[in-house]
Amino acid sequence: NGDCVCNDGWDGVVCHLTSCGNSSSIVAGIVAEVYTSSNTFIGKLNTPRVFFDSNDNLFPGGDVDYFSVNWMGHISMHMRANASLRCVFERSHCSVYVEQMKTDESDVHYFESHETMLSLQVVYNHSYGTAMVSLEYSLDGNTWLPVANDMLSYEVTCDQSCVHGCCAADNTCTCDFGW
């Protein structure tokens, strides 16, 4: 329940610890794992939202064609509502899982939000050429908006618990005042 310093690229968005613990915490954003077409792990990064534009290379030196991105975390609507999620993409394949229930391609995922975090996974397989992917939500089925940064969160863990502080990032503690 404390504040954190925003990493590069996070300026102007909600950047706070939503739940702080000694061995794990829930923080704003979502985790993206990137794999080659042969399913070889390239790298992992924390991003503020589910978005990819093939004009931006996720990992320098990585192949810009034939790879996949697996975003994992939680989504919260911050209200009790019936909501819909969809993955918007070009020349690729995208699947959305909410609480391990899958929708494919252009299908829309309907769910009832109870102001709690629901598990979220978005799997994007990029083939070739210029393409993009993003995640959108709707409360009325007609108006679609990008999933806002403060609707996403993920868990970080510290293998050795933070004795006088908070686990703020994977294996990174922040100290309580005075420590």
Side-chain angles (χ1 to χ4, degrees):
N1 294 337
D3 291 328
C4 64
V5 176
C6 294
N7 294 329
D8 290 342
W10 289 74
D11 295 334
V13 301
V14 173
C15 180
H16 64 277
L17 293 171
T18 55
S19 173
C20 181
N22 292 350
S23 59
S24 68
S25 297
I26 303 296
V27 297
I30 195 160
V31 173
E33 292 182 345
V34 183
Y35 297 87
T36 65
S37 60
S38 61
N39 212 27
T40 302
F41 180 70
I42 297 174
K44 175 179 167 180
L45 59 127
N46 305 330
T47 64
R49 61 193 172 115
V50 175
F51 178 80
F52 170 74
D53 181 341
S54 62
N55 293 319
D56 303 326
N57 194 352
L58 286 174
F59 288 95
D63 192 357
V64 295
D65 289 331
Y66 305 104
F67 64 90
S68 65
V69 182
N70 185 16
W71 286 276
M72 298 169 292
H74 301 96
I75 187 166
S76 175
M77 300 303 291
H78 304 300
M79 67 183 92
R80 187 177 187 94
N82 290 320
S84 306
L85 280 178
R86 71 178 181 188
C87 193
V88 179
F89 58 94
E90 299 173 337
R91 284 187 227 102
S92 309
H93 177 80
C94 188
S95 299
V96 177
Y97 300 80
V98 176
E99 292 294 303
Q100 299 179 347
M101 294 177 61
K102 178 182 178 185
T103 61
D104 250 344
E105 297 295 327
S106 60
D107 292 344
V108 175
H109 190 87
Y110 302 97
F111 65 96
E112 183 178 349
S113 172
H114 297 282
E115 298 182 47
T116 58
M117 295 185 302
L118 301 172
S119 67
L120 172 70
Q121 180 179 11
V122 178
V123 179
Y124 169 70
N125 294 305
H126 180 73
S127 53
Y128 63 90
T130 303
M132 56 131 320
V133 64
S134 64
L135 188 63
E136 296 181 341
Y137 78 99
S138 175
L139 297 177
D140 63 9
N142 295 315
T143 305
W144 290 91
L145 302 167
V147 169
N149 302 343
D150 66 346
M151 295 167 66
L152 299 172
S153 61
Y154 64 98
E155 183 177 23
V156 295
T157 58
C158 293
D159 293 337
Q160 297 180 357
S161 291
C162 306
V163 178
H164 297 285
C166 174
C167 182
D170 285 330
N171 293 317
T172 304
C173 298
T174 58
C175 298
D176 289 337
F177 182 75
W179 291 93

